[in-house]
Amino acid sequence: MRDAENLFGIPTSRIDGVDKVTGAARYASDEPVVNPAYGYFVTSTIARGRISAFKLDRAKAVRGVLDILTYQNVGNEAAPPVGPDGGPTTTTLESDRIWHDGQIIAVVVAETYEAAREAANRVEVVYVEEKPSASFDSPGVESVPHKPQKSPDPKKGDAAGAFAAAAVKFEARYSTPTQHHNPIELFTATCAWDGPKLTVYEPSQFMWGTKNSVAARLRVNPEQVRAVSRYIGGAFGSKGPNPRTVWVAIAAKRVGRPVKLVPTRDQSFTIATYRAETRQHIKLGASADGKLTSLIHEGWEVTSRPSGYNVSGVESTARMYACPNIATAVNVVHADRNTPGYMRAPPETPYMFALESAMDELAYELKMDPVELRRVNDTQTDPVDGLPFSSRSLMQCFDQAAAKFGWRHRDARPGVMRDGEWLIGFGCATACYPSNLGPAAVRVSLTPDGKATVGLAGHEIGTGAYTLVAISTARSLGLHVDDVTVHMGDSDLPPIMVAGGSNNAASAANVVVKACDELKQRIAKAAVDAADSPLRGADADKLTLTDGKLLGPSGESEPLARAVSRTGHRIEAYAEYIPEGLPPSAVADMSKGNPLMLGGAGRKDVAAFAFGAHFVEVRVHSRTREIRVPRVVSAFAAGTIVNPKAAYSQFMGGAIWGLSSALLEETEMDEGSARYINDNLADYLIPVNADVPSVEIIMVPEKDERVNPLGIKGIGEIGIVGMNAAVANAVFHATGKRVRELPIRAEKLL
């Protein structure tokens, strides 16, 4: 067996890898149910107005149709949905109101999927249509200051006065487009009733949230609802409690059979959340040597009519660099759209684009190397709150990535570096993400034959969560990873924080280690009290489980089987982990569907962030303005890396999505009808292999003893942050043309 202490940091293959590649892994739509019926959504074809009538005769005439749900026959059977920020949001079948294009307005249930689809296409709807407002510049939108959920928008000193007095001033406006998650697995749901008990098979990033959300909307006791989500085929923030599931549950009760519903790809653009478009205004003031004296950052974000949801990325941008004077603000713009929501690195992806582009532009104003500008403004103290960073290895990331990339070969003059007809540009940017931590509960058992079983309502969204839990357990109990069985994805298991905000690894690993420590203490206590143990009389606190043995500090040991047998045939521990700074009720609140997370920028002891640096080479054809990215080098410092094999994939996947965000992704909007145009994977552009020739990842070693007991920072989101700016900065270096509006396509360079 491996030395348990060394399991963290050893590349480990996924324990669920074989199941995934052979098709044995069960995703939500794969779950077998007896005699299912099939559902299909009918969605609105207008973006604002009311429904005056349904004409259903042609739909009901389709052979196999069992039921058609509309607001007229089921509208009062569900409570209104709650938005991603906990506030109001757009409704579905609750009334005749149309909030946005593609809103769910009916559910057809039939014996087969094909029959349900055919009938749904025959549903006729009579509307009273109103003129919709699509986005920022549309008549009828309403712009209001956002309401911060926790602390006010970051502010310090006199930013306006400092900017006016600055030796060097820079000011610009930036914008980012609407973008959609488009996970490969669609937003499916299967609902099955067994008497009063409902089981929901649905991809979910928050098992207990789905359970409680469905129960609340059905107005039933949460104990009557079970949510199952063993594997998730991509989520990125889109698969949490939602307004759809309750109607599938109601349909299943009405027809007396389980109902499976898999929406179409185009429906996924409007029945789920997305990244809203932003506009941003940045002012930077600096001294002649590049030190920032003023930072002013204001943003505008689109949301739906009833929702105040916004990501408010100034919480992070205000904390990136040393600056004595800071002013930030965020505004929400209400339009006739579906409510946006979380999408991988929600605040940082759009807001760091503006800041990191502005830093590059300031570097050119100062005739200063962009890396050195960041070095001059590096800080080990949060400039807003004055708290020390738990650790901050930003410049180590820049230095290692720059050396690997060959930044020293850069000619600083824009438009000078060439290879034949291709203009070459180098760009860089900072990556960051707050190190979040959530409450969690777990149950761990151990048998004398050295087999452990772990149960927690965790979430496998493609990040390797099963393997992380197995590694954490094996490391604590002195086992091999193959000796650990992990059960997750079921709300019948102990609750754990939502899989979002890059908290999953830290939250899960810390609670698992706490439970394992309890098992070790009980095993050790039994050994030191036993007359037949070679460890009798030893200090129980100094015993360890290593390589299948209970080991004393002087080398005396006994086999794990004998040590565990003293406590019974099977020993079990239940543990709850509540991060310091959260209330004692945090696990109980989470089990009610109300999660509390200890945020990286909201702590009272330290500011906790992971940091990184992106370096990008772009090639722009001198005549056609075709843009290519032949190579990327990114370095990240994120505390303890539990599984480098999975971590490398996470960092690389984020970086590739950042390239996509910079060059390809944009959900196009028809301004007149407020309808999405490219709601499919043929027209919604994403990168293919030819777009991503080389991505190199450097994991900078970092030990952080203040972020949490295991020093884990979380890595799922940071990879995408700043990449869009690094690409934009490289495009400017190649061409001399600054693009401040994403995505960057050939037509913007002509």
Side-chain angles (χ1 to χ4, degrees), residues 733-747:
H733 182 234
T735 65
K737 182 165 185 176
R738 181 67 66 172
V739 180
R740 302 187 179 105
E741 178 184 358
L742 294 180
I744 305 169
R745 295 177 180 166
E747 58 268 27

Side-chain angles (χ1 to χ4, degrees), residues 57-120:
D57 289 346
R58 292 181 63 244
K60 290 180 177 179
V62 175
R63 182 187 302 175
V65 169
L66 301 172
D67 199 1
I68 301 178
L69 284 63
T70 70
Y71 80 91
Q72 295 170 328
N73 57 5
V74 298
N76 62 354
E77 294 188 23
V82 176
D85 60 350
T89 187
T90 56
T91 53
T92 50
L93 274 67
E94 291 82 4
S95 74
D96 64 349
R97 176 73 180 266
I98 301 296
W99 297 97
H100 62 87
D101 173 62
Q103 175 182 314
I104 298 169
I105 57 174
V107 183
V108 176
V109 185
E111 294 284 357
T112 65
Y113 173 83
E114 291 77 10
R117 179 181 58 191
E118 175 67 19

Side-chain angles (χ1 to χ4, degrees), residues 207-357:
M207 302 306 308
W208 282 69
T210 294
K211 170 190 178 81
N212 281 275
S213 171
V214 171
R217 295 199 59 210
L218 289 175
R219 304 182 182 97
V220 301
N221 191 313
E223 293 181 1
Q224 293 177 235
V225 180
R226 176 190 177 203
V228 178
S229 178
R230 305 183 207 279
Y231 294 95
I232 305 171
F236 318 117
S238 65
K239 289 177 176 171
N242 64 77
R244 308 177 299 272
T245 312
V246 65
W247 302 116
V248 184
I250 290 171
K253 176 167 278 191
R254 284 172 64 91
V255 300
R257 294 163 57 179
V259 171
K260 284 179 173 277
L261 194 149
V262 181
T264 62
R265 175 64 61 185
D266 63 312
Q267 288 176 341
S268 298
F269 278 71
T270 59
I271 65 172
T273 58
Y274 60 99
R275 195 193 307 282
E277 58 263 51
T278 73
R279 288 181 175 175
Q280 299 170 59
H281 184 198
I282 282 195
K283 295 181 178 181
L284 297 178
S287 59
D289 60 0
K291 290 184 178 179
L292 292 175
T293 58
S294 176
L295 166 63
I296 302 172
H297 193 178
E298 184 171 12
W300 290 260
E301 305 177 27
V302 167
T303 189
S304 66
R305 287 289 182 187
S307 175
Y309 173 84
N310 60 95
V311 296
S312 188
V314 295
E315 280 289 340
S316 291
T317 59
R319 291 176 161 83
M320 283 306 97
Y321 302 110
C323 186
N325 301 286
I326 299 168
T328 65
V330 174
N331 309 278
V332 293
V333 178
H334 295 279
D336 299 306
R337 301 274 292 281
N338 50 321
T339 302
Y342 306 103
M343 185 168 169
R344 199 173 196 176
E348 286 74 18
T349 296
Y351 280 81
M352 285 292 285
F353 165 67
L355 177 64
E356 289 303 291
S357 295

